[in-house]
């Protein structure tokens, strides 16, 4: 980022207006200024302290309260985003694990899990580059759509067969143009309908099968809380999805598994939401398969930092993922 957060030491302007979430995490002791990007970049804590003091003065708050407020705001925004793709679509976050990746995700995962009442968090072994890893390892997939306006009994296999066939041929041609031959994998095709109740302005996607109408009613009820079986359906687009299934690459797995407590490098004062605690610091490179620790803790890696809050337990699995579980020591759990 350029100029990036205030602690990067770049750019000009009023410090209080330049503060970012990274600055708040640094101010609260959740980032190590000399270990950022594996020590390749030194963070400017003094600059952040000046900026946080200026922001606090504007708001009539102590600098510590201002920094905690920044974290509360960003956590609330993330919780809202998770609810938008879960509760609002008929899924309860409590029934899922929180998958946490990216450079800064680990700094917020425990607070977010508590906010959403999620009991388990997984921080993958290569959290800082997970998106790049997924792009390299995932199966190529493309969607092809064509507008088709039909309603009720007009939506039949006979009327749609040619359109699906043409989209499938178009998709195969696109894969070949991209140099993705089918010799090293299997090409799978899926046929879908984008449907809505007549008069609505949004569609839902369901597989084109004999019971497509019933599947639409069920999906609509799940996401919006009601179904209207007697209301005619309206087809807006037909969709073909092509997926090239290639041989899967196995993730590296640890040869050994030695259960036991992890050894801390030292400790530092970390400011949590409502308390300030002397917190052990761990180097992720030393957290081999089977190691465990109890929060509070700070786990530092070259490209990500994980804040383990009180009431959470961290264990390292055979794939070197960090698995955090909410325990019962914290009365808020």
């Amino acid at each position: 980022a350029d100029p990036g957060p205030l602690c990067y030491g770049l750019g000009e302007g009023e410090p209080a207006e330049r503060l970012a979430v990274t600055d708040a995490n640094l101010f609260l002791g959740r980032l190590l200024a000399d270990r950022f990007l594996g020590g390749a970049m030194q963070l400017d804590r003094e600059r952040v302290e000046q900026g946080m003091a200026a922001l606090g003065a504007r708001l009539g708050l102590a600098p510590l309260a201002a920094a905690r407020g920044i974290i509360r705001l960003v956590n609330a925004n993330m919780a809202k985003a998770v609810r938008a793709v879960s509760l609002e679509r008929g899924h309860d976050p409590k029934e899922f694990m929180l998958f946490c990746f990216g450079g800064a995700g680990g700094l917020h995962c425990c607070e977010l899990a508590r906010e959403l009442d999620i009991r388990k968090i997984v921080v993958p072994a290569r959290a800082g580059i997970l998106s790049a890893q997924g792009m390299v390892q995932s199966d190529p997939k493309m969607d092809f759509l064509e507008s088709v306006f039909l309603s009720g009994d007009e939506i039949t296999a006979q009327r749609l067969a040619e359109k699906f066939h043409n989209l499938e041929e178009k998709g195969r041609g696109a894969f070949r143009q991209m140099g993705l031959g089918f010799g090293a994998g299997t090409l799978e095709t899926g046929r879908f309908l984008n449907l809505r109740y007549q008069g609505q302005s949004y569609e839902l996607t369901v597989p084109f099968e004999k019971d497509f109408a019933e599947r639409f009613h069920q999906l609509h009820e799940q996401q919006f809380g009601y179904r209207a079986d007697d209301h005619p359906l309206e087809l807006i687009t037909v969709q073909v999805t092509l997926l090239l299934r290639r041989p899967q690459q196995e993730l590296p797995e640890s040869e050994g598994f030695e259960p036991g407590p992890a050894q801390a490098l030292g400790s530092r004062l970390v400011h949590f939401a409502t308390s300030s605690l002397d917190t052990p610091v761990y180097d992720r490179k030393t957290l081999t398969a089977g190691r465990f620790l109890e929060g509070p803790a700070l786990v530092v890696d070259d490209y990500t930092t994980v804040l383990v809050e009180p009431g959470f337990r961290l264990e390292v699995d055979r794939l070197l993922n960090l698995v955090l579980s909410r325990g019962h020591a914290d009365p808020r759990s």
Side-chain angles (χ1 to χ4, degrees):
D2 186 8
L6 199 60
C7 61
Y8 285 12
L10 304 174
E12 302 296 333
E14 177 63 37
E17 297 174 358
R18 288 280 316 284
L19 288 167
V21 178
T22 301
D23 297 315
N25 278 315
L26 177 63
F27 185 89
L28 295 170
R30 303 176 181 196
L31 283 174
L32 276 62
D34 59 344
R35 286 290 302 270
F36 196 69
L37 298 179
M41 182 177 181
Q42 178 76 29
L43 299 180
D44 190 340
R45 181 176 176 86
E46 183 178 350
R47 200 175 188 210
V48 171
E49 289 175 349
Q50 294 171 356
M52 204 64 70
L55 177 63
R58 286 190 185 186
L59 300 174
L61 297 172
L64 180 58
R68 282 171 165 161
I70 291 173
I71 299 302
R72 281 200 303 273
L73 282 172
V74 71
N75 287 341
N77 286 335
M78 286 192 287
K80 181 180 178 181
V82 172
R83 291 189 179 102
V85 296
S86 57
L87 286 173
E88 295 177 13
R89 299 184 183 182
H91 303 289
D92 190 341
K94 291 188 294 186
E95 300 175 1
F96 297 86
M97 288 189 292
L98 183 64
F99 199 72
C100 172
F101 59 97
L107 289 166
H108 301 266
C109 60
C110 288
E111 291 177 329
L112 191 58
R114 184 177 284 115
E115 173 71 20
L116 297 167
D117 201 21
I118 293 174
R119 309 298 300 184
K120 186 166 287 189
I121 305 165
V122 176
V123 182
R126 288 155 291 280
I129 59 167
L130 189 73
S131 294
Q133 177 184 331
M135 183 178 68
V136 171
Q137 293 187 310
S138 63
D139 294 325
K141 176 182 174 182
M142 288 190 282
D143 295 321
F144 298 86
L145 297 87
E146 181 177 339
S147 297
V148 180
F149 295 97
L150 298 173
S151 61
D153 295 337
E154 296 175 341
I155 308 172
T156 64
Q158 292 77 11
R159 301 192 69 163
L160 299 176
E162 183 178 356
K163 296 186 181 298
F164 278 125
H165 175 76
N166 291 340
L167 287 175
E168 289 168 0
E169 289 302 308
K170 181 180 178 181
R172 290 188 177 93
F175 267 86
R176 293 189 184 97
Q177 286 182 347
M178 295 176 64
L180 297 171
F182 309 142
T186 303
L187 188 67
E188 298 179 1
T189 61
R191 296 181 171 187
F192 299 89
L193 303 177
N194 291 307
L195 296 163
R196 66 190 184 191
Y197 287 126
Q198 199 170 60
Q200 288 181 327
S201 58
Y202 51 87
E203 301 85 47
L204 296 176
T205 302
V206 296
F208 183 46
E209 298 173 354
K210 288 184 177 181
D211 63 342
F212 73 85
E214 174 58 25
R215 297 187 71 162
F216 172 84
H217 294 310
Q218 291 177 356
L219 182 60
H220 195 280
E221 184 176 26
Q222 180 191 57
Q223 295 198 11
F224 303 109
Y226 74 97
R227 55 188 289 165
D229 297 65
D230 297 332
H231 207 77
L233 301 184
E234 199 168 54
L235 174 64
I236 305 303
T237 54
V238 293
Q239 175 179 327
V240 166
T241 297
L242 284 85
L243 177 67
L244 182 58
R245 292 283 188 192
R246 300 183 296 187
Q248 292 296 305
Q249 302 178 45
E250 295 292 331
L251 293 173
E253 185 172 333
S254 177
E255 294 181 0
F257 190 85
E258 299 180 6
Q263 298 300 312
L265 297 173
S267 65
R268 65 177 295 142
L269 182 67
V270 175
H271 301 286
F272 294 88
T274 58
S275 60
S276 300
L277 302 171
D278 189 46
T279 300
V281 178
Y282 299 83
D283 187 340
R284 183 163 183 172
K285 295 185 183 68
T286 68
L287 298 183
T288 54
R291 297 301 175 187
F292 59 84
L293 58 91
E294 304 285 344
L298 201 61
V299 179
V300 181
D301 197 3
D302 287 349
Y303 301 107
T304 187
T305 302
V306 181
L307 179 67
V308 185
E309 289 209 344
F312 283 80
R313 176 185 174 90
L314 182 151
E315 300 179 12
V316 186
D317 69 11
R318 293 184 182 276
L319 296 175
L320 299 183
N321 301 315
L322 306 183
V323 182
L324 286 71
S325 305
R326 286 175 61 192
H328 301 286
D330 184 356
R332 293 175 296 172
S333 297

